[in-house]
Amino acid sequence: MSGPVLLDVTCREGEQRPGKSYTTDQKIAAVNALDTLGVEYIQVGFPIAGTQTASVCTGVDVEAKLTGIARSVPKDIEAAVEAGVDVIDVFAPTSERQRSELLGKDEEELHSLVGETVDRANETGLEVHFTAMDGFRTDIDVLSRLFGSIETEYLTIADTVGAKTPFEVSKFLDELPTSPRRLGVHFHDDLGVATANALTAISYGVEKVDVSVGGIGERAGNVPLEEFVVSAEMSDAVSSPALEHTNLIPRSNDVLDALDESVPPEKSVLGGDVFSHESGLHTAAMLDDPRTFEPFDPWGFGGTRRLYFGPQSGTGAARRLLERVGKEPKRGQVEALLGELHELDEPVPKDEALELARGV
C-alpha cells in the first residue's frame, strides 16, 4: 500500500499568525527545500491577495505541484490562473455555524456557489482541490451531499478550529460515505492531537494530509511534517509518505532557516535537545545500545545524537568511558574520572569525555 500524499502549508499558514510575513525570496528558498525532500504539493499563498504568489511560482523550478487557495468566487479563480499555480484549492465554510456567519447562505445556496466555482476552476485545465472549512463540525449528510456534487482531485476536510480528537475523527470518517481515496485532511493543533488525528485519518485510507514544518501555523499550528513522517514510519498500522527520509531533519531545518523560524529545543524530532543526553543512567546505557532511551535512530532521518558527560554522570558512565579507551575500569580510575567530570562547570560531549578518560 502506498503512503499518504503530503501538502505542505508552511508558507501560507505561517503568515496567518499576527504580524508575520515572508518575503518572496524566503518562500522560494523554502519551496526548494521542500521539493528536495519530496513533498508532492506545496501551498505557496492566496493569489487574490497580491502578486507574491506569482513571483514565487516564476522563481522556482520544482517537481512539486504549487497550490494556491481560492474562495468560491470567480475572481479568485482567475487570480490563481494568472499566478501560475499548478493547483487551485477552492475553499468554503461548510458547517452551519460558519456557513451562516461567514456567507449568510443556506445549504442549497452553498451547494450552488461551490458547484459553480469548482466547475469554473475545472474549466481552467488546472488540477482542482476543494477544502471544506470547519468540515469536521459539518453535518455528515450535508458534507456527503456536497462532496457528491463536485468533481475534484481531492476533497479536504478541515478541522479549522482544532476541536477534534482521534476518537471523533474515527467516528466521523467511519460514517462519511465518501471514498477515503478522494479525501484529504487539514488539522490544527489546538488540543495537541493534530498528529494523532492525521494518523487516525490515514488509517482509514485518507489519501492526503496537510502538514507544516515544525507545525508552524495559526494559533497552535498544524500537523508537524517531521512529526507525522516519523510517526508513520515507526507505525505498523499505516504506511509512511514516500519522502527522502534521511533528509527529513536537514531539509526541515533548511525551511525553518529560510523563513527565519525556530522551534523550542524540546520540540519533537527537530528540537535541539531531543537527541541530547546527560543523565548518568541514560548515557551509560546508550554507550552500549543507543535505542535503550530513544524511540528511533535520529541518523535514519538525518539527525545527530549527542551524549554529554559531566556533573550528572554516574559510575556506570565512567566505567563505559574507560572501557571505550581500552582501560580496565578499576575502582580508583572510575573515581578519578568521576571526580573530573563532576568538577566540570558544564557537561562536555562524548569525544571530550573520552579524552578525559584517556588521561586518567
Side-chain angles (χ1 to χ4, degrees), residues 129-162:
H129 299 180
F130 174 74
T131 294
M133 286 178 60
D134 212 21
F136 276 103
R137 294 198 300 179
T138 301
D139 180 85
I140 286 178
D141 290 336
V142 171
L143 195 64
S144 177
R145 285 193 291 270
L146 178 60
F147 282 176
S149 68
I150 57 178
E151 289 295 329
T152 61
E153 185 71 21
Y154 288 111
L155 300 161
T156 301
I157 311 170
D159 182 21
T160 302
V161 298

Side-chain angles (χ1 to χ4, degrees), residues 68-82 85-91 112-131 150-154:
I69 61 172
R71 297 168 300 176
S72 294
V73 294
K75 63 180 181 180
D76 282 29
I77 304 302
E78 302 307 321
V81 173
E82 292 173 6
V85 297
D86 303 301
V87 180
I88 303 174
D89 193 340
V90 180
F91 69 92
S112 177
L113 177 67
V114 171
E116 291 174 3
T117 308
V118 168
D119 285 346
R120 175 67 191 96
N122 281 324
E123 289 171 0
T124 68
L126 298 177
E127 185 173 323
V128 180
H129 299 180
F130 174 74
T131 294
I150 57 178
E151 289 295 329
T152 61
E153 185 71 21
Y154 288 111

